[in-house]
Amino acid sequence: MPFVVLAQTLTDACGADPQAICRLVYDLTGSTGGARFADFAARPVKVVIILVLAWLANRLVRRWLNRAVEGWLERRAAVAEAARDRSAEASDRKEGGLREAALQRASLMLEQQERSTQRTRTLGAVLRSVASIVIYGMAVMMSLAEFDVNLGPLIAGAGIVGVAVGFGAQSLVKDFLTGVFMLLEDQYGVGDVVNVGETVGVVEGVKLRTTQVRDINGTMWYIPNGEIRRVANLSQDWGRAVVDVEVAYDTDIETAKTVIKEVADGLWHEQLPNATITEEPTIAGIQAFGESAITIRLMAKTEPAEHFATARELRGRLKEAFDEAGIEIPFPQRTVWMKTEQPPEKSGS
């Protein structure tokens, strides 16, 4: 019987689920009021402890993320530095335009490293913000639970609001997630020439939600990242100028190949600023037999986004070289036979 009375009194003092501090004070003093006051006074202390622990956890997670990002950047920088050293050593062994091309490639590698560094730090900042939101959100919920706030309705309401917002803003979430993966995979960056379906142009801005592309007409396109199904990056790492040269059927193929190779090698050694060929051009051979011409394919590896200008320069020089060599660039020709009927002779009267 005394045990039942004690249990009822403890329940009256500390509730159905008595906390350790409330139970301890009641056991020591036997005072219902003192136990209630101790339990009420301990709750703000617990909240402070929860917030302090959340602050410490946030600091530790952010520091770990910073170290992970900086460590990854240091490893990438070491690899890039080694590659630049190899490129510099190669440039010392070359002369003239080839040496300048090697130095330009080293400079391009440095620009790509800077872009990668900025992209990685941006993602690190996003991850730190997400970690802080999660940690402090959990701390707030635990703090409310200390004051006997029923979190069930709050969580249910937040869930309903989240579902409603999710249906209404699913395209926004899709754009955001797609933008994160684009940055992670380095699909393209500012200055790249890309084909994103209906738009082809130069990337002028990459955001977590949209990509800004300026086309050849000067129009700026703002494309939601979630609508980009596939991307053709025309200026990543290197390019290739593919020029199909047509000659007449009565042309000596070996002579034509020799002229084409001389023109391509001349451009390769000149190393023009906007039409830089990085490797010796190659003649792939006869590509096709057309109705009025034989097609010979020329391929030249170029600096990123310079294959368009290189192909145009090659075509102009090939026209001049063919004129000098007497090689005909054919055009469609047709032979038309005209048949006329003589009027019937009139019989004499």
Side-chain angles (χ1 to χ4, degrees), residues 45-55 138-140 142-143 146:
V45 177
K46 290 181 180 180
V47 171
V48 172
I49 293 175
I50 291 172
L51 295 178
V52 170
L53 292 176
W55 179 78
M138 294 178 62
V140 170
M142 294 173 65
S143 300
E146 289 297 326

Side-chain angles (χ1 to χ4, degrees), residues 239-259:
R240 174 173 285 141
V242 180
V243 180
D244 289 334
V245 185
E246 294 185 346
V247 297
Y249 271 94
D250 58 355
T251 302
D252 184 80
I253 299 300
E254 294 303 322
T255 301
K257 287 183 178 180
T258 300
V259 174

Side-chain angles (χ1 to χ4, degrees), residues 179 182-183 188-190 203-208 210-212 225:
M182 284 181 177
L183 291 174
Y188 52 81
V190 176
V203 178
E204 293 197 359
V206 181
K207 310 294 183 181
L208 288 176
T210 61
T211 295
Q212 303 171 14
N225 293 328

Side-chain angles (χ1 to χ4, degrees), residues 9 17 41 64 88 131 146 154 184 202 225 227 256 297 301 343 345:
T9 307
D17 186 18
W64 177 80
E146 289 297 326
L154 292 177
L184 282 173
V202 180
N225 293 328
E227 296 183 3
R297 172 159 292 184
K301 190 174 181 180
E345 296 181 356

Side-chain angles (χ1 to χ4, degrees), residues 10-36:
L10 180 61
T11 301
D12 294 338
C14 302
D17 186 18
Q19 300 295 321
I21 295 178
C22 184
R23 181 189 293 272
L24 177 61
V25 173
Y26 183 82
D27 292 340
L28 294 176
T29 63
S31 172
T32 301
R36 290 179 178 176

Side-chain angles (χ1 to χ4, degrees), residues 39-154:
D39 182 60
F40 181 79
R43 292 183 180 186
V45 177
K46 290 181 180 180
V47 171
V48 172
I49 293 175
I50 291 172
L51 295 178
V52 170
L53 292 176
W55 179 78
L56 291 175
N58 183 57
R59 289 291 300 272
L60 290 175
V61 171
R62 292 174 70 90
R63 181 173 298 180
W64 177 80
L65 289 173
N66 287 334
R67 289 182 178 179
V69 170
E70 294 300 326
W72 188 84
L73 291 176
E74 289 177 1
R75 291 191 295 272
R76 288 292 301 270
V79 173
E81 186 66 27
R84 285 198 301 270
D85 292 341
R86 290 194 298 269
S87 179
E89 292 176 359
S91 66
D92 293 338
R93 297 192 297 268
K94 297 178 181 180
E95 297 179 356
L98 297 181
R99 181 176 182 179
E100 294 179 0
L103 294 176
Q104 290 178 0
R105 286 195 293 274
S107 176
L108 179 63
M109 292 173 61
L110 180 60
E111 293 177 0
Q112 292 177 346
Q113 179 190 352
E114 292 177 353
R115 190 181 76 178
S116 177
T117 299
Q118 294 176 358
R119 183 181 67 256
T120 304
R121 286 179 175 164
T122 299
L123 290 175
V126 172
L127 292 176
R128 289 193 297 269
S129 299
V130 171
S132 297
I133 292 173
V134 172
I135 292 173
Y136 284 120
M138 294 178 62
V140 170
M141 294 178 64
M142 294 173 65
S143 300
L144 293 176
E146 289 297 326
F147 290 99
D148 296 330
V149 176
N150 189 1
L151 298 178
L154 292 177

